[in-house]
Amino acid sequence: MVRRWIGLVVVLLLVIAVHVEAAQRNVVMEIEGMSCYGCPVTIEKALKKVKGVIEAEVSFEKKKAWLTVDDSVTDKMLIDAVQKAGPYKAKVIEEIRKK
């Protein structure tokens, strides 16, 4: 009986893990207005504060941000976070749903 319960719990955890992984997407943003190498740090911190942002990387040279987010995060949430961080303009230029 105990083995049956343990097996059921393991299966449920695997189903949950697959569902969580499937609910992610990669987002690429174009960011204008960065004037120094400190700007990406500021923007990255602001993006990481958005609930549902899993990873964020910002490049001063490429004027872009690469993010991994869950499905609860909207483009507007990301754009608002960047604009609140300073005098930046941001737009989402690419989205890839992770499977």
Side-chain angles (χ1 to χ4, degrees), residues 28-96:
V28 180
M29 298 180 77
E30 189 173 80
I31 302 173
E32 296 178 15
M34 290 190 281
S35 60
C36 69
Y37 285 97
C39 293
V41 175
T42 301
I43 295 168
E44 199 170 292
K45 285 181 182 178
L47 288 167
K48 288 180 178 179
K49 287 181 182 177
V50 175
K51 185 178 179 181
V53 171
I54 299 161
E55 294 179 41
E57 181 182 336
V58 181
S59 169
F60 175 73
E61 292 85 6
K62 295 184 179 183
K63 309 295 186 208
K64 291 184 180 174
W66 296 268
L67 302 109
T68 302
V69 302
D70 67 33
D71 280 341
S72 68
V73 178
T74 65
D75 293 353
K76 183 176 179 352
M77 292 166 67
L78 298 173
I79 291 167
D80 288 348
V82 171
Q83 291 176 338
K84 287 178 184 174
Y88 311 113
K89 289 186 179 182
K91 66 179 177 180
V92 173
I93 60 171
E94 185 177 351
E95 291 186 43
I96 302 167

